[in-house]
Each structure stands twice: as C-alpha cells, then as structure tokens.
Amino acid sequence: MNQTDDGAASAGGTGPTPGPGGRRRPDESMSLLRDVLDNPLDAGYTQWAARADSGAPAPAQPWWRRGIVVLACAVIGAAAIWSARALRPADEVVTNAYGLLVDEIDQRRAEGDALRQDNDVTAAEIEQLQETALAGQAESVLERGRVLGVASGQTRVRGEGLVIELADSRAAQEGTPGTEDERVQDVDLQVLVNALWASGAEAIAIDGQRLGSTSAIRAAGQTILVNLAPVVSPYVVEVIGDPVDLQTKLSRTAAANHLSVLRTTYDITVSMRPAEDLDLGGNPSRTLRFAEPLDGEAPGAPEGTGTAPPGPGVPGSGQDRAGTTDGEVS
C-alpha cells in the first residue's frame, strides 16, 4: 500500500478497504451497492432485534421529543382542516350563486316576453297601416294577403275548434329510469299535426307556437322545439276548424291509431275536447332577401299577384314509433 492509501485508511476508515495483499478491490466504486447487498437489514431493525434477543427494554424517549412530535401532528392536522375548509365554498355562497343565475334567467325571459309583445303590437300597427293605405285601391290584394297570412301563420286567427293535449306518463314525469320511451316525442306531434292539416284544419298552434308553411317540429336532446322555441309537457295543440268535422276526419287517419298506441303501450295521456273560442296569435313576418318574379301567374292566384298559396304542412320523419309511415301533408 502506498502512502496515500495508508493515510486514507488511518483517517477514520472512510476510504476504500484494501483487498488481500494491499491491492484495491475491483468493485470499490460500487461500495454503496455492495453495502446494501451485504447488509440488507436496516440498522434500526438490527438494533431492535438485538434488544429483543437480550431482553433489554427499549430506551425511553425524552419528554421534549415526544412533545415535539405531538405538537407537529396537531399543527399538521389543523393546517389540513383549515385548508379543506378554505377551499370549500360556503353554503350561502353556493345558494347565492344559484339564486343569482335563476334571477338572471327569469329577467332575460321577462325581457324576451316584453320584446315579443312589442313586436306583436308593431306588427298589428303595420297591418292596420297597410289596410288603410290599400283600402279602395287594391281590395283583391288585401284579401289575398289575408288568406296567405292565415296559411303562413302570420295572421292572428280566432274561432271554434279542437284542443288536443298530450302529456308524458307519470313515471316519465317522475324521472323513473327506463321510461324514456314514455315521453312525448317530436314524431308524435308531427304525425298529429300532419293528420290535422289533412283533416281540414285552418290554423294550428302548439303551446302557443303558431304553425305555418315554414314551421318545423324537431328534437334537441330530450327537448322538443317548435319554431326553434322549446315546448314542454303537457303539449297543448290548438286547432281552429269545425270540431265535429275535424274529429270525424281525424279518426279515419293513421294518427288515430298512433294516438291509441301512445295511450296503451307508452301510458301517454291523450285528451281531446271541442272549444268554442280559440285565439291563435301569428308569427312575426320574415323579410325576403332573395326573390325572382314568376313567368306568368300561378294557377289559382288572383289577377296581378303572380303567386300561389303555400301549403301548410310539417315534414314527417319517415317511420314513426307506432310502426306507421307518415309523410308530408300539405
């Protein structure tokens, strides 16, 4: 062994242990891994095993060390509890946020209703001004406008008719699992509306939404949209026309069988009653952006108009859940 090795060996045994004959061990760079393999037991476990074999009692910890451990545990527990309570919003905060959202929704809905009423008043004023301006000059145009306004759903209509109500089953209203088919679907309203048009209905509205030549009944998730406005159960279908004639002709259509299936199979409530006075509002008129004049007059159009009356109908969805095929009725 040279002088450097002797000095390292005599300085507390921190240097590498020389092998036989004073030579370096070939694995001295792996001393830590070798110690782990040679002494796999923890030093504290070795001491505890030696005390257990000798029967000597474990040395008592000083009181101040135990006090520090207890104090540290108490501080850590208190900090964890405080952090959890600080991160969790208070119940009154959640309630206030929910109430604020509900109030805002109610406010926006009230604003929308007020704007809709203003539009109805303005539309009535415009219609009155048009009739006043054209009075005595183009009576045929006015009469044609009234007829087209009824067919397109833009003119308010009042008279006798039928009120048909469809409501989800009681289990579906309570949200019982497995009752999704017991809800009124968009196809049910489509079949009924098409049959009513074919039975001679003059005007139809669903939950106050007037149907016209551009109306659509569609589903968005579990919500039914009529004229892009959501409607909810019970769905009230108001129909203007002769009540007796409507009921007689409706009973001869496929919709009668469809409604019977809804009652017996899906437990959906279907009721029908005559009404002496129904008042169906009109939809706001739409502005034409692109139009081309027709070459000549369409059949059935009054002289000078060049247009034909639109056919009010709601497109069906092909195959309904009652097994009957419904089409577009105009």
Side-chain angles (χ1 to χ4, degrees):
M1 181 181 297
N2 54 30
Q3 185 176 1
T4 303
D5 294 339
D6 293 341
S10 61
T14 58
T17 303
R23 294 189 303 271
R24 291 178 176 271
R25 295 184 53 166
D27 58 347
E28 67 180 36
S29 62
M30 303 173 63
S31 59
L32 178 60
L33 181 59
R34 189 178 65 249
D35 291 341
V36 172
L37 295 176
D38 294 342
N39 302 307
L41 296 179
D42 184 73
Y45 179 79
T46 304
Q47 295 176 3
W48 179 86
R51 272 198 315 270
D53 293 340
S54 62
Q61 297 291 337
W63 65 269
W64 56 269
R65 181 176 296 178
R66 288 178 292 179
I68 291 177
V69 172
V70 173
L71 180 61
C73 293
V75 171
I76 294 174
I81 295 174
W82 178 82
S83 300
R85 297 190 61 181
L87 293 175
R88 180 180 180 182
D91 294 339
E92 57 270 13
V93 175
V94 176
T95 304
N96 292 337
Y98 177 78
L100 181 62
L101 291 176
V102 172
D103 293 340
E104 186 173 354
I105 292 173
D106 294 339
Q107 180 182 358
R108 297 299 183 184
R109 184 180 290 113
E111 292 177 358
D113 295 339
L115 292 175
R116 192 176 298 108
Q117 292 177 0
D118 292 342
N119 289 338
D120 294 340
V121 173
T122 304
E125 293 177 355
I126 293 175
E127 183 178 355
Q128 182 65 32
L129 291 175
Q130 289 177 347
E131 293 183 357
T132 303
L134 297 177
Q137 301 179 8
E139 293 294 340
S140 61
V141 176
L142 285 176
E143 183 63 25
R144 186 60 177 169
R146 297 188 188 98
V147 173
L148 294 179
V150 173
S152 62
Q154 296 179 5
T155 303
R156 180 180 296 273
V157 181
R158 186 171 183 178
E160 62 177 357
L162 287 178
V163 176
I164 305 173
E165 184 174 323
L166 286 75
D168 299 337
S169 69
R170 184 179 299 275
Q173 294 177 12
E174 295 175 354
T176 304
T179 60
E180 290 76 11
D181 290 337
E182 298 182 6
R183 297 182 180 274
V184 178
Q185 300 178 5
D186 57 338
V187 65
D188 304 326
L189 296 178
Q190 290 174 4
V191 171
L192 176 59
V193 167
N194 283 333
L196 289 172
W197 286 129
S199 300
E202 300 177 11
I204 302 176
I206 301 178
D207 283 0
Q209 292 294 325
R210 177 74 176 277
L211 299 183
S213 57
T214 59
S215 297
I217 302 175
R218 292 291 182 265
Q222 293 186 349
T223 303
I224 298 179
L225 304 179
V226 178
N227 295 331
L228 299 181
V231 293
V232 297
S233 176
Y235 304 93
V236 180
V237 182
E238 298 174 306
V239 190
I240 287 184
D242 183 81
V244 178
D245 190 49
L246 284 174
Q247 293 187 49
T248 302
K249 292 182 178 180
L250 183 62
S251 63
R252 299 172 183 173
T253 63
N257 180 49
H258 188 93
L259 296 178
S260 178
V261 171
L262 293 182
R263 283 192 296 260
T264 58
T265 304
Y266 300 101
D267 198 24
I268 292 177
T269 302
V270 179
S271 62
M272 183 183 307
R273 58 181 175 84
E276 297 181 356
D277 188 12
L278 294 177
D279 188 1
L280 307 186
N283 288 328
S285 60
R286 293 175 172 82
T287 302
L288 293 178
R289 299 182 181 274
F290 304 97
E292 295 181 1
L294 296 176
D295 296 333
E297 295 180 356
E303 182 179 358
T305 61
T307 57
V314 177
S317 60
Q319 188 73 18
D320 58 53
R321 61 177 174 182
T324 60
T325 302
D326 65 303
E328 184 173 348
V329 179
S330 60

